[in-house]
Amino acid sequence: MTLTAEDRATLARLAALMVPGGAGMPSAARISLQGAPLDRVLAHAPQLSGPLGRFCAAARDVADMAGLDAAAQADRDGFEALAVAVGNAYFMAPQVRHAIGYPGQEARDASVGLTAGDQALLTPVWQRGRLWRAP
Amino acid sequence: MTDRTEVAIVGSGPSGAVAALELVSAGIGVTVLEQGDWVPAEAFDGARPEWELTQLKQWHPNPNIRGRPEDYPIDTAASDVNPLMFAGVGGAALIYGAHWMRFMPSDFRVRSLDGVAEDWPFGYDDLAPFYAYVEEAMGVSGEDGNPAYPDGAPTPLPALPIGRVGRRAAAGMNRLGWHWWPGSNAIPSRPWRRLQPCVLRGTCGTGCSDGAKATPDRTHWPDALARGARLLTGARVVRIETDAQGRASGVIWVDRQGARHRLAADVVILCANGVGTPRLLLASGLANRSGLVGRRLMMHPFATVAGRFDDDLESWVGPAGQILTSCEFYETDASRGFLRGAKWNCMPAGGPQGFRAGYGNGPLTDAWGPAFHARTRASFGRSFEWGIIGEDLPDPDNRVRLADDLTDSDGLPAPRIAYRVSDNTRRMLDFHVARAREAMQAAGAVEIAETRLIRDCGWHLMGTAVMGADPETSVTDEYGRCHDVPNLHVMDGSTFPTSSGMNPTATIMAVAARSVLNLIDTRAGLEVA
């Protein structure tokens, strides 16, 4: 199922309610979440399209969080699809990641192992001695 | 025309890989049937932004959610826990957390020590050389000298970094005087044979895109294939065949195009996990004189306690993998109101979507709107969890059967699970959750959330073809040889008499090594079809 332009317009309004911007983070509108970010989500999670379209069709008149809550109560699966789509589209956006200080699941050097401080933390553990139960 | 092999192995996961490599190295012909396919490292999304999205479907551990034709569906309507698995070369290890724990000495002596369940036919000391053997193959990283083990559970490679999360958790445990230890993981901290060194990406549970996590497709299959093993992918076994004397004579399998084939074999080894193995035995009507095939299913009920902290812990950084473990409350203390215990593992919180899962049960206005931003700012990178693996004791009513109204993509009956968490286990988890909350408080958590039983937690599938000396009360002998069918073997976790409270892959592989080496040593006297 492909989302219609009307579905996307509805989703933009719902996303604006859910992600209004604040605490140094951009709004859903600021990143045009209903456009390319949503396309990226649906490309990797096409199973969301059906319930998302259904939810948007039923929520055309939602104008506030109370209305969104009522729509969510009426279609839990549809709202779950909306929440997954909005959340993932938002947090995949580079400007959002930058705002929250998240570099993504980046590669780091694991060969550093335990530090001297870590070994000091371990000292009382091995000083307490054997923990295992003799069979 | 009938194909023929000396040994047919069903399943290419950790136990099947161990069995195949040992057999082919001993000059014995092996054909392995794997219903899934090869999964290259590039297929995993860990290094891509879509990582958190695709783990909800493509890389979800529950086959019912993935819905791929090479997996089989599972009827879980009568189960408190969903079994988790993955069909592919390397099996469910492809998406396991690589938490590498030996069972404790007491785990093999549950009847003698606590008066419940059964003792194993062998003990920790018997298995210790096999642990060491498979740990070399898997490139296990850890810190030697763990006082939770009699020999300190040495590992071939030094531990992975514990990072800010580990230090915070460890400080809390030290304030309480409780045991903790740097996590041991089947993830090399240095280059190791065909494995790349870990890069702490923290996406182990959805597949390692860096070729670092020890999975059989990297640790065992290249050598097994180079030595002549034959591995058939997209090959789902329908049933085991027997001859007039009741000996296994081979298997019938179906390819992805639906064509059926017969593979004749002198020996058949089942390594299809604690659900797939009894499914196949039941479908074949074999090895069930005791009536215990499929019964005594153990899946390790799992609870979590998540803490939020004021300071930046970079809690998306791996390994995931386990950063720390604790065995403080592992052993039985009857004054607690339950028998046996649980192991804890400290885990990072993951990406910005992952941390939200632990706090997602409130009203909508708590999760979205202005609260969305406030909570993200307060929580992201500042959370971790203690996971609690409780030992569930065997119960004959927890079982695998064949469904009469659900089939896989080849029309074969799917497994139906009946599984209830016992009162003993619920009391155990309640106790451990309360202690883990104390550990979080001691570490300085400003908010704590708990999940007392996660439904999608059935990673550890054990007990459904139990080993023992008496054919009336067990399915196999101590080496996995079926009492009723002497050339039919089980070498996965199905044979485990009890489950311990530890992640079982280390023990599954060690027991498989012990079993297959015995098979090789005794093959001259083996009855074959």
Side-chain angles (χ1 to χ4, degrees):
Chain A
M1 177 178 175
T2 304
L3 294 185
T4 66
E6 194 173 8
D7 291 335
R8 287 184 185 262
T10 299
L11 192 145
R13 287 199 303 278
L14 301 178
L17 292 171
M18 297 165 75
V19 186
M25 301 163 62
S27 65
R30 180 71 176 271
I31 66 163
S32 300
L33 186 143
Q34 75 282 4
L38 180 63
D39 290 340
R40 188 174 189 176
V41 167
L42 295 179
H44 290 85
Q47 75 277 7
L48 296 175
S49 296
L52 193 55
R54 182 184 70 228
F55 189 85
C56 288
R60 301 244 189 275
D61 298 329
V62 168
D64 54 25
M65 288 295 277
L68 181 57
D69 192 43
Q73 296 298 329
D75 182 0
R76 296 304 306 178
D77 290 344
F79 180 72
E80 177 65 21
L82 175 69
V84 168
V86 168
N88 279 279
Y90 186 73
F91 285 120
M92 281 196 284
Q95 51 274 60
V96 174
R97 293 181 166 220
H98 177 74
I100 64 174
Y102 175 50
Q105 300 302 122
E106 63 180 351
R108 296 193 177 190
D109 180 9
S111 68
V112 295
L114 301 181
T115 67
D118 299 335
Q119 294 289 356
L121 274 170
L122 263 181
T123 300
V125 183
W126 59 259
Q127 280 182 338
R128 278 197 297 276
R130 157 185 159 168
L131 194 65
W132 57 280
R133 184 183 182 195
Chain B
M1 180 177 143
T2 298
D3 194 6
R4 171 162 281 282
T5 186
E6 288 181 87
V7 179
I9 299 176
V10 183
S12 70
S15 60
V18 166
L21 181 56
E22 295 302 331
L23 287 163
V24 76
S25 299
I28 298 170
V30 174
T31 300
V32 178
L33 302 110
E34 167 54 55
Q35 59 195 332
D37 209 338
W38 289 90
V39 183
E42 310 83 72
F44 299 120
D45 284 326
R48 294 188 275 266
E50 293 82 6
W51 162 64
E52 287 191 288
L53 179 62
T54 57
Q55 67 181 283
L56 301 175
K57 177 73 174 174
Q58 294 94 318
W59 300 112
H60 197 286
N62 185 337
N64 290 347
I65 291 176
R66 287 195 306 273
R68 305 183 309 158
E70 58 265 54
D71 293 311
Y72 50 79
I74 303 173
D75 180 345
T76 59
S79 179
D80 292 339
V81 167
N82 294 330
L84 307 176
M85 60 187 73
F86 189 90
V89 177
L94 291 170
I95 54 171
Y96 76 154
H99 299 194
W100 190 270
M101 302 298 295
R102 297 180 177 191
F103 283 9
M104 299 275 261
S106 70
D107 290 328
F108 301 90
R109 303 273 292 161
V110 173
R111 165 62 66 177
S112 297
L113 291 171
D114 295 322
V116 291
E118 289 82 31
D119 289 349
W120 288 48
F122 47 85
Y124 181 89
D125 291 342
D126 300 311
L127 208 53
F130 298 98
Y131 278 130
Y133 182 57
V134 295
E135 284 158 0
E136 282 285 318
M138 298 294 277
V140 176
S141 297
E143 176 73 3
D144 293 354
N146 188 344
Y149 288 89
D151 55 5
T155 57
L157 289 169
L160 296 166
I162 65 172
R164 296 183 195 177
V165 164
R167 286 179 203 112
R168 176 51 69 102
M173 298 296 268
N174 279 354
R175 285 190 190 100
L176 295 167
W178 290 355
H179 172 263
W180 64 274
W181 203 253
S184 48
N185 296 283
I187 307 170
S189 53
R190 308 276 191 279
W192 185 258
R193 300 181 180 173
R194 290 188 175 87
L195 298 172
Q196 300 296 314
C198 179
V199 294
L200 305 177
R201 203 178 293 283
T203 60
C204 315
T206 50
C208 181
S209 56
D210 300 283
K213 189 175 70 171
T215 52
D217 55 318
R218 290 181 172 273
T219 57
H220 287 72
W221 283 114
D223 288 333
L225 295 174
R227 293 173 196 179
R230 186 164 60 134
L231 173 59
L232 303 176
T233 58
R236 172 173 283 147
V237 175
V238 176
R239 66 176 181 274
I240 304 153
E241 292 207 309
T242 53
D243 64 10
Q245 286 72 46
R247 296 171 302 208
S249 58
V251 299
I252 301 294
W253 62 277
V254 58
D255 65 29
R256 293 261 48 87
Q257 286 70 48
R260 293 204 173 197
H261 308 263
R262 181 169 191 274
L263 173 65
D266 296 336
V267 173
V268 175
I269 301 176
L270 302 183
C271 298
N273 84 37
V275 171
T277 286
R279 179 195 186 203
L280 196 47
L281 288 173
L282 292 170
S284 307
L286 291 176
N288 202 16
R289 181 188 349 172
S290 65
L292 290 173
V293 170
R295 292 186 180 271
R296 302 166 59 98
L297 173 65
M298 295 170 280
M299 293 199 280
H300 277 167
F302 185 71
T304 66
V305 174
R308 182 174 69 80
F309 297 80
D310 277 338
D311 46 332
D312 179 8
L313 299 175
E314 292 188 317
S315 56
W316 62 85
V317 176
Q322 52 188 355
I323 296 173
L324 310 180
T325 63
S326 175
C327 297
E328 179 65 28
F329 304 105
Y330 189 83
E331 303 287 4
T332 293
D333 179 342
S335 69
R336 297 172 189 154
F338 58 88
L339 295 173
R340 309 302 298 160
K343 165 245 178 184
W344 296 8
N345 42 251
C346 172
M347 297 277 291
Q353 295 283 54
F355 89 88
R356 291 168 50 74
Y359 302 93
N361 298 323
L364 192 141
T365 48
D366 283 0
W368 298 102
F372 172 83
H373 298 291
R375 180 161 287 285
T376 298
R377 188 60 76 188
S379 300
F380 175 61
R382 299 163 188 262
S383 308
F384 69 83
E385 74 173 28
W386 278 110
I388 299 162
I389 297 175
E391 174 172 355
D392 54 335
L393 293 165
D395 177 342
D397 291 333
N398 286 341
R399 61 188 298 195
V400 179
R401 282 182 282 196
L402 299 180
D404 52 17
D405 54 357
L406 182 67
T407 59
D408 64 22
S409 60
D410 294 306
L412 305 173
R416 168 173 290 156
I417 307 296
Y419 180 89
R420 295 297 178 217
V421 175
S422 71
D423 289 342
N424 186 74
T425 301
R426 290 192 186 279
R427 289 193 295 273
M428 176 193 299
L429 293 180
D430 286 347
F431 171 88
H432 279 264
V433 164
R435 300 292 81 72
R437 291 187 73 96
E438 292 169 10
M440 283 294 183
Q441 288 165 352
V446 295
E447 183 179 358
I448 301 172
E450 65 193 39
T451 306
R452 287 183 180 257
L453 176 64
I454 293 178
R455 187 171 174 85
D456 273 326
C457 77
W459 278 112
H460 307 156
L461 306 171
M462 295 168 278
T464 48
V466 63
M467 68 170 93
D470 184 351
E472 301 300 325
T473 59
S474 58
V475 178
T476 80
D477 70 9
E478 66 172 292
Y479 296 105
R481 185 191 318 263
C482 291
H483 294 303
D484 297 352
V485 187
N487 64 337
L488 175 61
H489 297 248
V490 177
M491 293 192 186
D492 58 28
S494 302
T495 64
F496 287 13
T498 56
S499 68
S500 93
M502 296 294 183
N503 313 70
T505 301
T507 304
I508 288 171
M509 295 182 78
V511 170
R514 180 178 184 271
S515 296
V516 76
L517 291 173
N518 175 267
L519 172 62
I520 292 167
D521 288 345
T522 60
R523 70 185 187 277
L526 188 66
E527 284 184 59
V528 297

